[in-house]
């Protein structure tokens, strides 16, 4: 019985390790293939979180446009992923916009049922003279007013 315990213990410990190494190699190969297949015009994210568009590339490096007329050079290995462009990105933006509009509509309906009818006094915007659009826009206006004072 003791003679079978040691080989069984080895199998129990080595099989998960072997499977984990295989998974890691497969993921590394996917990343290497993605970095090899980058082409001019692709929108990418670097490992440091920088978003850019590929404007030129060679064997080891890529030139990314990170703002209008601002081009930086990166190693290909620094590309984390290629962001979706075109229809996939447009549909994601449309979904986000629809969700935002639904939330805004629910907020206005909630204000109407509370008897405030979305008045400026209900959200405190009458005190600073700004329009009752949203808290985020009011915050920007308040910041602009403070900067003008300085």
């Amino acid at each position: 019985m003791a003679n079978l315990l040691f080989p069984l213990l080895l199998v129990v410990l080595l099989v998960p390790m072997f499977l984990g190494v295989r998974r890691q190699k497969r993921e590394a190969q996917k990343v290497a293939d993605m970095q090899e297949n980058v082409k001019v015009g692709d929108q990418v994210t670097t490992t440091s979180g920088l978003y850019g568009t590929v404007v030129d590339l060679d064997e080891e490096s890529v030139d990314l446009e990170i703002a209008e007329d601002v081009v930086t050079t990166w190693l290909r290995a620094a590309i984390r992923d290629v962001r979706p462009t075109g229809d996939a990105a447009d549909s994601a933006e449309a979904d986000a916009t629809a969700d935002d509009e639904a939330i805004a509509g629910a907020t206005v309906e909630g204000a109407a049922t509370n008897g405030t009818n979305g008045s400026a006094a209900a959200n405190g915007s009458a005190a600073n003279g700004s329009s009752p659009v949203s808290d985020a826009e009011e915050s920007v206006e308040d910041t602009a007013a403070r900067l003008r004072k300085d």
Side-chain angles (χ1 to χ4, degrees):
M1 181 74 173
N3 293 338
L4 295 176
L5 190 59
F6 183 69
L8 184 62
L9 183 64
L10 284 177
V11 168
V12 168
L13 292 176
L14 292 178
V15 168
M17 204 168 84
F18 175 73
L19 293 175
V21 168
R22 283 187 55 206
R23 183 179 46 206
Q24 256 184 334
K25 284 184 179 181
R26 200 170 30 243
E27 291 296 322
Q29 186 61 40
K30 273 191 205 176
V31 170
D33 290 343
M34 180 269 308
Q35 290 170 347
E36 286 290 321
N37 295 324
V38 170
K39 58 187 180 300
V40 173
D42 282 348
Q43 293 182 346
V44 299
T45 305
T46 65
T47 54
S48 61
L50 184 75
Y51 294 103
T53 303
V54 177
V55 292
D56 190 27
L57 45 96
D58 60 19
E59 293 296 319
E60 293 183 9
S61 64
V62 292
D63 290 340
L64 300 180
E65 183 176 39
I66 57 174
E68 191 173 331
D69 296 329
V70 179
V71 178
T72 58
T73 302
W74 294 78
L75 290 174
R76 276 186 187 246
I79 296 175
R80 176 180 295 154
D81 61 346
V82 177
R83 297 182 313 177
T85 57
D87 296 335
D90 292 341
S91 66
E93 287 178 19
D95 290 343
T97 303
D99 290 343
D100 291 345
E101 289 172 358
I103 291 170
T107 304
V108 170
E109 289 172 8
T113 58
N114 290 335
T116 60
N117 294 328
S119 66
N123 62 11
S125 60
N128 62 15
S130 63
S131 65
V133 177
S134 74
D135 293 335
E137 292 180 44
E138 291 172 2
S139 174
V140 171
E141 292 171 357
D142 291 343
T143 302
R146 267 189 283 118
L147 290 174
R148 274 180 268 168
K149 289 179 187 176
D150 294 341

